[in-house]
Amino acid sequence: MNASATSTAAATTSPTNASVWRSQLGTYLGLLAVLAGMVALFSSLSEYFWSTETFVTIANEIPALAVMAVGMTFVLIIAGIDLSVGSVMALAAATSAAAILQWGWTVPAAAALALATGLLCGTLTGAISVAWRLPSFIVSLGMLEAVRGSAYVVTDSRTQYVGDAISWLSAPFFGGISFAFLLAVLLVVVAQLVLSRTVFGRCVVGIGTNEEAMRLAGVDPRPIRIIVFAMTGLMAGLAGLMQSARLEAADPNAGSGMELQVIAAVVIGGTSLMGGRGSVVNTAFGVLIIAVLEAGLAQVGASEPSKRIITGFVIVAAVIVDTLRQRRAAA
Amino acid sequence: MNASATSTAAATTSPTNASVWRSQLGTYLGLLAVLAGMVALFSSLSEYFWSTETFVTIANEIPALAVMAVGMTFVLIIAGIDLSVGSVMALAAATSAAAILQWGWTVPAAAALALATGLLCGTLTGAISVAWRLPSFIVSLGMLEAVRGSAYVVTDSRTQYVGDAISWLSAPFFGGISFAFLLAVLLVVVAQLVLSRTVFGRCVVGIGTNEEAMRLAGVDPRPIRIIVFAMTGLMAGLAGLMQSARLEAADPNAGSGMELQVIAAVVIGGTSLMGGRGSVVNTAFGVLIIAVLEAGLAQVGASEPSKRIITGFVIVAAVIVDTLRQRRAAA
Amino acid sequence: MPPTSPTNPTTPLLAIHDVGKDYTATVLDGVNLALFAGEVLALTGENGAGKSTLSKILCGLEQPTRGGMVLDGQTYTPGSRRDAERHGVRMVMQELGLVPTLTVAENLLMGRLPHRLGWLQRDALHAAARAQLAKIGLDTIDPATPVAQLGIGQQQMVEIARNLQDDTRILVLDEPTAMLTPRETNYLFEQIAHLTARGVAIVYVSHRLEELRRIADRVAVLRDGRLVDVRPMAGMSEDDLVQRMVGRVVSDLEHRPRRAAGPVVMSAEGLGRGTAVQDVSLALRAGEIFGIAGLVGSGRTELVRLLFGADRADRGSVTLYPEPANTERQASPAMGCTIPRGFASPLQAIAAGVGLVTEDRKSQGLLLSQPIRINATLSDLSAVSRGGWLQRGLENRLVQGFVRKLGIRCRSAEQPVGQLSGGNQQKVVFARWLHREGRVLLLDEPTRGVDVGARAELYGELDRMASEGRALLMVSSDLHELMAMADRIGVMSAGSLVAVFERGEWSEQSLLAAAFSEPGGRAADPTSSLPSSSSATA
Amino acid sequence: QDKPKIALIMKSLANEFFRTMEDGAKAHQKAHAGEYTLVANGIKNETDTAAQIKMIEQAMAQKVSAIVLAPADSKALVPVVKNAIDKGIIVVNIDNQLDADALKEKNITVPFVGPDNRVGAKLVGDHLAKSLKVGDKVGIIEGVSTTFNAQQRTLGYQDAMKAANITVVGVQSGNWEIEKGNTVAAGMMREHPDLVALLAGNDSMALGAVAAVKAAGKTSKVQVVGYDNIGAIKPMLADGRVLATADQFAAKQAVFGIELAQKALAAKTPQAQLPAAVKTDVVLVTKDSK
Ligand SMILES: Nc1ncnc2c1ncn2[C@@H]1O[C@H](COP(=O)(O)OP(=O)(O)OP(=O)(O)O)[C@@H](O)[C@H]1O
Ligand SMILES: Nc1ncnc2c1ncn2[C@@H]1O[C@H](COP(=O)(O)OP(=O)(O)OP(=O)(O)O)[C@@H](O)[C@H]1O
Ligand SMILES: O[C@@H]1[C@H](O)[C@H](O)CO[C@H]1O
Ligand SMILES: [Mg+2]
Ligand SMILES: [Mg+2]
């Protein structure tokens, strides 16, 4: 070590924790600014936007997207991708509906079945891509198709009306906020802690950065990869439950195209598709940005073309703002 | 220098070319086997499958998918992704329709406009992601939305009936084969040569493998990235023309979701999403596999659910077969 | 120094019987070797001789095709690195294997992170990491620093620290000092002494012969995958060793005269970037080699990158002087002018005739998955193409030439560079600049991991370039190499160029003293005239 | 006093059918600008049920007085409709009828303003049957299978074919969309080379079918019929590539729906006492209709 390095290192040793916190907060600032800007804009455009009701509505709309995005964050960090989440969500909803309606299962049993379905699908995606060392893109694309087909089979290609058996999950519960929302928030917090504070989380980051180095350090990446996909499947299963609680129906077409929305939320949150970098809390901001944008545009009654054009711009602009802020902070 | 090294190098100089050819042929074998297997299966399942008519129909259905997949191959090789191709295809078709129907342009001028539209969209995607160093995933996702919105604006959200002004492009022309098909074949050949035989192609592969190394070797990756996206946009524009020639109509929702199909074709062809590796000819095999599967399933009258399930399995199986073959060849 | 004789000369700790390894060709064959507790066995040989392969076999990273091993009287067939480590056999790999997004501490303890029910125990983690780092003199690095922020030399030290563990019985070090300067090397040797005193057996792979003399008890020489010689180090001269390795005599260059320097070709004035490089001024002359010495992290790599335009300086300028004879080059817009903040990009530098052999070949030099052919011609594709189309014949011929000239050991020019041995990879990077010879060549650790024979070959090339009037700048952590090759040696410390010596003025001591010196006027805040309160002594 | 705000929530605004509906609604609002304000919203395709539900929720947050809805799914929209009604919002159903059982289970009534799709499809089917022979083979391309009107149209087509002793060899879903319609049509023709007609549940799918017929070189050998009478279909009716379609007056459905809601708001009629159904017209359109 030379002298200057010594002093720098010494100087930064103690304030490390504080500065870590500051820098952590810093990483949220860009996205927070985008979010605040959007809320301000919509509030000025629509008289009812700035209201508890709007925010409660948004809060109750996002859980399904949010929990899938939590799983997807881990998938992207290991440099994978899971295109099947939308289909898995539909299948999970469909199996629970079939369990309740056709096989007369109790609601908890049916809910467990939905979760198990998601877990199984995710495990399959992970196991196939690990076993044959295939890109998860293609495996999950195959799953997207196969699982969607299964959802058609299970629902008999008809929307299954479930009724309010499981609607408590999405029913207003505390100041209008649903249980599903609280669950989603809890999952975001837990997942962030798992990512940054557990051995598993550190292995996930390491595998995404340099799988070979991790392997040489004695960490077998295969089970970890499978677990990440399995958990994402589980999250999609949970999302399916949340969705069918909200719709009181299992729609075989539910969540089609949703994979891109989920990935967009994660990427807006700054997680890299190349792996090794990501944050669940930032993903949550990405989810909020997408949800606020959608709600705001619907409320101001934007025409369909302008909606799409604005959405496109906002997605890119959000990432630009965030990127520039991160770079400025790094410099 | 020591003798043994010299002699090894010298000994292998001459058979290099032959062995390169052999190994090149080898890379096609896996996909060819999958394709042959599928054709055999469908021929045994449906008495009408094994007929000139079927193959001509398939040949005339694939050009749009094929040309977009050619562009996408280059995009994936530079470790990018372009999700906007479906939207760009729709916008290009829409502008040419508007040019013919509303502004009274001649067909060649309208066709040029469609290509220019595609080129512009692609350039924009490339330039934005290069200028701010953003992941192309998110930029092209933004473009997907914004360009789709623009297609709505241009068509006034109505399917524009173009008539047979440009239908010559997709009309049977030589033994039932359309001009569009020949064009697609030509593009595959040219693109493969560009990839493997030109300085540009070499730079594309290099940038996808190790961008920093290329930069330090004096290759500026930025213009090359932009060109790759611009070309992909151009291809999507061409696909838009082909599509509206086939349907004789410009549908504002044309090609939605097509990006995944295009990427699937490229990945089935063995191109890596991580960049640095890919072949246009293999992409063409990927396109054929998807097209034969779709045609075959429709012909045997598979139900929608079973179609999706089978499609999912075949996508994964094709990649497994191909991967195993490549690994065996490498060992 | 470690004991000069094995603690128990009769029963080896590890015995290797007839080990062989085939990839597509045979790279190891019939290797019989015994390793005794408490000894340092040097493993040496040319690039591609099979040293890393043999090391990897010892550590479970590769499985031998033939033969077997006996550890402590028991059959030893490690199936993985993990497995080898359970037997107390550890290895510091030739290529860095750290995860840049994780912290130093996490890297050090990866695979055995302290946790309670899966939750990291940060305090325990950092304490353990600090202890580990202290062993090798890195006690000033904050274990919470992401590895990405360390220089490559520091990373190498972290890699070494990771393997200094109490349960180690055999430690294999594969060119651990290729990136290190004397200070770090000394720390490492101290550790080796501690370990051997405890009865640990060391396998030490290096191309630096003077190091082998310092620490090795015995030396084993591999040539073309076969063990050609194993004998005590004592009494063996460097010349003997070299001759055993390459089968011929390599000339000593240390006492050559200074080359005649021509006019200034390129100069830097007050070039700086952040705190990594602080206002460096230097002039490169035609026909001479300017060496740069300095400790790990002193900013040498950063300086070279600024000169090449790989990073943009934030102050100072670079000046290029016109070439009197060559009118064609004169036409280049960058000629004869001062460029504020240096070249804007490597492209501009290359156009102006400046080349760079990078230090970190893996991440900045090579396309690992691509063949030698593609890698070797990368910096001048116009020479192997016509109208944008590549001329395969031309390219093949050119590349065959390099392969022969530099003795790149490969199956064919179509072999992916990633499959080559480390030293051979380095030769490929070098070949690229042989291919495109400009006026100035910047070399950052050009002989890292290159064997003596090939090194002489590279030196010969450098000599030729200098005699043809090129200006060369060579960064090296190997002082002997610098003293042999350079006409002038600049020494960097903490980002500043603190001294420049002419050939004949320097000695190992004076160079080291300069490297350890506090750069004049340098303080935490460069504008402040007060000496920094934090300036510690090394 | 505040003007009431009425939300019109439709499906794919890339389908001309809904554009016509939107335009009709906007024209009506302009003509009655003093009476109410209008927020019109659609979704990006015919099946994004979840997005449509969010739109209803946003409309509630915006405190609209009434919602006029063309549901993307007959069952899945029912729960959110109930929420809206519980909030005192008047809900009127147009175009595609909500599922009767689900409504009953929720114990709500929602007036349906729209045509009888089975009758409309039968009109088209009967017209087609005139140019076919007994024993001919035809295929049906259905809309999104989870919508009531798609199911009804299929039934109407089947009624007509049965009456004329024509064989329906298959019913496949084209999702209301051109490209899907194209793929399905192409597949049916390859599976049944002797097919003589394709009955599409709407004109978008009919457009796709026409292109498939042409690609197979079977123009004038395979007849196509559609439903909706959108602009793009008119030249095809003229040259015979499409034999017939049905006009179900999209603009009128929206206008009637809005007017029903307006009346209810003005008279403060509670939701439960609104009429169960208001039948709108559906007529056959052929080359000869003007
Ligand atoms: N995975 C592989 N596939 C094919 N050949 C390989 C592979 N790994 C190593 N080799 C070959 O084995 C030979 C020995 O390589 P090794 O890395 O052991 O050499 P080394 O003695 O460590 O050389 P250096 O001094 O350059 O590090 C080389 O010729 C190399 O090309
Ligand atoms: N990405 C980075 N972030 C922060 N500090 C860095 C980074 N890269 C290098 N440094 C620091 O900059 C200083 C100069 O590094 P540089 O690599 O130029 O030194 P060097 O003399 O070439 O040493 P080395 O032998 O490590 O290459 C070192 O203290 C190093 O730790
Ligand atoms: O009734 C309509 C149309 O016919 C349309 O084409 C699709 O959606 C249905 O609900
Ligand atoms: Mg080696
Ligand atoms: Mg360096």
Coordinates of all heavy atoms in Angstrom, one line a residue, chain A residues 171-203:
Chain A
A171 N -59.4 -7.6 -0.6 CA -60.5 -6.7 -0.1 C -59.8 -5.6 0.8 O -58.8 -5.8 1.4 CB -61.5 -7.4 0.8
P172 N -60.5 -4.4 0.8 CA -59.9 -3.3 1.6 C -59.9 -3.8 3.1 O -60.8 -4.6 3.5 CB -61.0 -2.2 1.5 CG -61.8 -2.6 0.3 CD -61.7 -4.0 0.1
F173 N -58.9 -3.4 3.8 CA -58.7 -4.0 5.1 C -58.2 -3.1 6.1 O -58.6 -3.1 7.3 CB -57.8 -5.2 4.8 CG -56.8 -5.6 5.9 CD1 -57.2 -6.6 6.8 CD2 -55.6 -5.0 5.9 CE1 -56.3 -7.0 7.8 CE2 -54.7 -5.4 6.9 CZ -55.0 -6.4 7.8
F174 N -57.5 -2.1 5.7 CA -56.9 -1.2 6.7 C -56.8 0.2 6.0 O -55.9 0.3 5.1 CB -55.6 -1.6 7.2 CG -54.9 -0.7 8.2 CD1 -55.4 -0.7 9.5 CD2 -53.9 0.1 7.8 CE1 -54.8 0.2 10.4 CE2 -53.3 1.0 8.7 CZ -53.8 1.0 10.0
G175 N -57.8 1.1 6.2 CA -57.8 2.3 5.5 C -57.9 2.1 4.0 O -57.3 2.9 3.3
G176 N -58.6 1.1 3.6 CA -58.8 0.9 2.2 C -57.8 0.0 1.6 O -57.9 -0.5 0.5
I177 N -56.6 -0.1 2.3 CA -55.5 -0.9 1.8 C -55.8 -2.4 1.9 O -56.3 -2.8 2.9 CB -54.2 -0.5 2.6 CG1 -53.9 0.9 2.4 CG2 -53.1 -1.4 2.2 CD1 -53.3 1.2 1.0
S178 N -55.5 -3.1 0.9 CA -55.8 -4.5 0.9 C -54.6 -5.3 1.6 O -53.5 -4.9 1.7 CB -56.0 -5.1 -0.5 OG -54.7 -5.0 -1.2
F179 N -55.0 -6.5 2.0 CA -54.0 -7.4 2.6 C -52.9 -7.7 1.6 O -51.7 -7.8 1.9 CB -54.8 -8.7 3.0 CG -53.9 -9.7 3.7 CD1 -53.3 -9.4 4.9 CD2 -53.6 -10.9 3.1 CE1 -52.5 -10.3 5.5 CE2 -52.8 -11.8 3.7 CZ -52.2 -11.5 4.9
A180 N -53.3 -7.8 0.3 CA -52.4 -8.1 -0.8 C -51.3 -7.1 -0.8 O -50.1 -7.4 -1.0 CB -53.1 -8.3 -2.1
F181 N -51.7 -5.8 -0.7 CA -50.7 -4.8 -0.7 C -49.7 -4.9 0.4 O -48.5 -4.8 0.2 CB -51.4 -3.4 -0.7 CG -50.4 -2.3 -0.7 CD1 -49.8 -1.9 -1.8 CD2 -50.1 -1.6 0.5 CE1 -48.9 -0.8 -1.9 CE2 -49.2 -0.5 0.5 CZ -48.6 -0.1 -0.7
L182 N -50.2 -5.1 1.6 CA -49.3 -5.3 2.7 C -48.4 -6.4 2.5 O -47.2 -6.4 2.8 CB -50.1 -5.5 4.0 CG -51.0 -4.3 4.4 CD1 -51.7 -4.5 5.7 CD2 -50.2 -3.0 4.5
L183 N -48.9 -7.5 2.0 CA -48.1 -8.7 1.7 C -46.9 -8.3 0.7 O -45.8 -8.7 0.9 CB -48.9 -9.8 1.1 CG -48.4 -11.2 1.1 CD1 -47.9 -11.6 2.5 CD2 -49.4 -12.2 0.5
A184 N -47.3 -7.6 -0.3 CA -46.3 -7.2 -1.3 C -45.2 -6.3 -0.7 O -44.0 -6.5 -0.9 CB -47.0 -6.4 -2.4
V185 N -45.6 -5.4 0.2 CA -44.6 -4.5 0.8 C -43.7 -5.4 1.7 O -42.5 -5.2 1.6 CB -45.3 -3.4 1.7 CG1 -44.3 -2.7 2.6 CG2 -46.1 -2.5 0.8
L186 N -44.3 -6.3 2.4 CA -43.5 -7.2 3.3 C -42.5 -8.0 2.5 O -41.3 -8.1 2.8 CB -44.5 -8.1 4.0 CG -43.8 -9.0 5.0 CD1 -43.3 -8.3 6.2 CD2 -44.7 -10.2 5.4
L187 N -43.0 -8.5 1.3 CA -42.1 -9.3 0.5 C -40.9 -8.4 -0.1 O -39.8 -8.9 -0.2 CB -42.9 -9.9 -0.7 CG -43.6 -11.2 -0.3 CD1 -44.5 -11.6 -1.4 CD2 -42.6 -12.2 0.0
V188 N -41.2 -7.2 -0.4 CA -40.2 -6.3 -0.9 C -39.1 -6.1 0.1 O -37.9 -6.3 -0.1 CB -40.7 -4.9 -1.3 CG1 -39.6 -3.9 -1.6 CG2 -41.6 -5.0 -2.6
V189 N -39.5 -5.9 1.4 CA -38.6 -5.6 2.4 C -37.8 -6.9 2.7 O -36.5 -6.9 2.7 CB -39.3 -5.2 3.7 CG1 -38.3 -5.2 4.9 CG2 -40.0 -3.8 3.5
V190 N -38.5 -8.0 2.8 CA -37.8 -9.3 3.1 C -36.8 -9.6 2.0 O -35.6 -10.0 2.2 CB -38.8 -10.4 3.3 CG1 -38.0 -11.8 3.4 CG2 -39.6 -10.2 4.6
A191 N -37.2 -9.5 0.8 CA -36.4 -9.8 -0.4 C -35.2 -8.9 -0.4 O -34.1 -9.4 -0.7 CB -37.2 -9.7 -1.7
Q192 N -35.3 -7.7 -0.1 CA -34.2 -6.8 -0.1 C -33.2 -7.2 0.9 O -32.0 -7.3 0.7 CB -34.6 -5.3 0.1 CG -33.4 -4.3 0.2 CD -32.7 -4.3 -1.2 OE1 -33.3 -4.0 -2.2 NE2 -31.4 -4.4 -1.2
L193 N -33.7 -7.6 2.1 CA -32.8 -8.1 3.2 C -32.1 -9.3 2.8 O -30.9 -9.5 3.0 CB -33.6 -8.2 4.5 CG -34.0 -6.9 5.1 CD1 -34.9 -7.2 6.4 CD2 -32.8 -6.1 5.5
V194 N -32.9 -10.2 2.2 CA -32.3 -11.5 1.7 C -31.1 -11.2 0.7 O -30.1 -11.8 0.8 CB -33.3 -12.4 1.1 CG1 -32.7 -13.6 0.3 CG2 -34.3 -13.0 2.1
L195 N -31.4 -10.3 -0.2 CA -30.4 -10.0 -1.2 C -29.1 -9.4 -0.6 O -28.0 -9.8 -1.0 CB -31.0 -9.0 -2.2 CG -30.1 -8.7 -3.4 CD1 -29.8 -9.9 -4.2 CD2 -30.8 -7.6 -4.3
S196 N -29.3 -8.5 0.4 CA -28.1 -7.8 0.8 C -27.5 -8.4 2.1 O -26.4 -8.1 2.4 CB -28.4 -6.3 1.0 OG -29.4 -6.1 1.8
R197 N -28.3 -9.2 2.8 CA -27.8 -9.6 4.1 C -27.7 -11.1 4.3 O -27.3 -11.5 5.5 CB -28.8 -9.1 5.2 CG -28.9 -7.6 5.3 CD -27.7 -7.0 6.0 NE -27.8 -5.5 5.9 CZ -28.3 -4.7 6.9 NH1 -28.8 -5.3 7.9 NH2 -28.3 -3.4 6.7
T198 N -28.0 -11.9 3.3 CA -27.8 -13.3 3.6 C -26.8 -13.9 2.7 O -26.4 -13.3 1.7 CB -29.1 -14.1 3.3 OG1 -29.4 -14.0 1.9 CG2 -30.3 -13.5 4.1
V199 N -26.3 -15.1 3.1 CA -25.3 -15.8 2.3 C -25.9 -16.1 0.9 O -25.3 -15.9 -0.1 CB -25.0 -17.1 3.0 CG1 -24.1 -18.0 2.1 CG2 -24.3 -16.8 4.3
F200 N -27.2 -16.5 0.9 CA -27.9 -16.8 -0.4 C -27.8 -15.5 -1.3 O -27.4 -15.6 -2.4 CB -29.3 -17.2 -0.1 CG -30.1 -17.4 -1.3 CD1 -30.0 -18.6 -2.1 CD2 -31.0 -16.5 -1.7 CE1 -30.7 -18.8 -3.2 CE2 -31.8 -16.7 -2.9 CZ -31.6 -17.8 -3.6
G201 N -28.2 -14.4 -0.7 CA -28.2 -13.2 -1.5 C -26.9 -12.8 -2.1 O -26.7 -12.4 -3.3
R202 N -25.8 -13.0 -1.3 CA -24.5 -12.6 -1.8 C -24.1 -13.6 -2.9 O -23.4 -13.3 -3.8 CB -23.5 -12.7 -0.6 CG -23.7 -11.7 0.5 CD -24.4 -10.4 0.1 NE -23.5 -9.5 -0.6 CZ -23.9 -8.5 -1.3 NH1 -25.2 -8.2 -1.5 NH2 -23.0 -7.7 -1.9
C203 N -24.5 -14.9 -2.7 CA -24.2 -15.8 -3.8 C -24.9 -15.5 -5.1 O -24.3 -15.6 -6.1 CB -24.6 -17.3 -3.3 SG -23.5 -17.9 -2.0

